[in-house]
Amino acid sequence: MTAEPVSVGLLYPGHSAEDDFPALEVRLGGRVRLPLVHTSVGEDAHRVDALLDLGGPDRLAEGAGRLAESRPDSIMWACTSGSFVFGWDGAREQVDRLADLLGKPASSTSIAFVEAARALGLSRVAVAASYPEDVAGRFVEFLGHGGIEVVGWGFRDIVTAAEVGTLGRDEVIGLAVDHDHRDAEAVLVPDTAMHSLAWLDDLEAAVGKPVLTANQVTVWEGLRLAGGPTTLPGLGRLFAGASG
């Protein structure tokens, strides 16, 4: 009798790059399930007040209620800015509430970046952000609280998730290359509104070091929490076995 594939439930705000996830399911031939529920969005803006609303408890609780129907093995709040904007303790409280609601382990993309960096033994990174400067700076601060030193960072000043979702392969690679730093052991590219899962090997080839993207670490963290496979092809060095 074939075992059921591990299921990582995704709470994803709005509509931008959510097609990354079903495409990955197909590529992996059914080894994992990634059921996704769209959480509600007030204003699509990479602005602190809008992001605090985006990741508010009522929006996440409503989405979690619908996600429960998929019976996931773990839950991911698949949003970087809507988690790190709450700060280190606030982001932890956010996912603790989700875990209590569904009775399953839960995390978020921001926390996943820290866990993935630790799994790869990284201590110094560069950040290539699509966000405006003040929002990108909050991600840098969040990483610092997690013990990850940011030796260089840059931003694209894109205000809406919708616009980020239109970035193509070459633009995403260019973002990572442009904001790499010679002292960085890896480049981190936040924002789950950005497509990346099909281009991870290309990203790492262009940069010449590990690249961690939002959608990549979201899937990895969900699988890690659920006890699923974290060694998978075509998903960069994070999934190459270093994380066990």
Side-chain angles (χ1 to χ4, degrees):
M1 188 172 178
T2 304
E4 287 290 318
V6 172
S7 175
V8 176
L10 304 174
L11 293 173
Y12 188 95
H15 299 263
S16 297
E18 71 273 17
D19 52 329
D20 251 10
F21 299 107
L24 179 60
E25 282 187 321
V26 173
R27 282 172 52 202
L28 295 177
R31 294 182 64 182
V32 302
R33 290 182 57 244
L34 301 170
L36 183 148
V37 163
H38 294 279
T39 58
S40 61
V41 177
E43 181 182 0
D44 178 12
H46 287 140
R47 203 178 61 239
V48 172
D49 62 330
L51 294 169
L52 289 170
D53 175 64
L54 181 74
D58 291 344
R59 293 191 190 278
L60 295 191
E62 190 277 332
R66 289 185 284 127
L67 187 60
E69 299 172 11
S70 300
R71 303 180 66 182
D73 298 304
S74 64
I75 304 99
M76 291 298 300
W77 168 222
C79 182
T80 325
S81 56
S83 46
F84 69 69
V85 76
F86 287 86
W88 184 258
D89 292 338
R92 290 286 178 183
E93 291 170 4
Q94 194 179 52
V95 299
D96 286 346
R97 284 194 296 268
L98 287 174
D100 288 342
L101 280 170
L102 294 185
K104 297 290 182 179
S107 188
S108 68
T109 305
S110 293
I111 294 170
F113 269 111
V114 173
E115 294 293 345
R118 289 172 176 171
L120 288 174
L122 305 174
S123 58
R124 300 182 310 279
V125 304
V127 169
S130 54
Y131 313 124
E133 183 176 10
D134 63 329
V135 175
R138 290 197 175 215
F139 182 54
V140 171
E141 292 174 7
F142 186 90
L143 293 172
H145 279 290
I148 310 299
E149 179 186 359
V150 178
V151 295
W153 61 286
F155 57 94
R156 276 285 302 273
D157 204 24
I158 300 177
V159 175
T160 68
E163 183 178 350
V164 173
T166 68
L167 298 178
R169 171 187 174 278
D170 292 346
E171 290 171 296
V172 173
I173 290 174
L175 179 68
V177 170
D178 289 347
H179 297 302
D180 186 17
H181 188 282
R182 65 183 181 182
D183 296 329
E185 299 162 327
V187 177
L188 276 54
V189 186
D191 204 342
T192 56
M194 185 185 300
H195 293 90
S196 68
L197 293 182
W199 309 324
L200 290 164
D201 288 348
D202 294 340
L203 278 161
E204 293 192 337
V207 177
K209 61 184 66 172
V211 175
L212 300 179
T213 74
N215 290 349
Q216 174 203 36
V217 301
T218 297
V219 174
W220 177 85
E221 173 80 337
L223 289 171
R224 183 184 73 86
L225 291 176
T230 55
T231 302
L232 295 167
L235 291 173
R237 286 186 230 181
L238 178 63
F239 279 89
S243 55

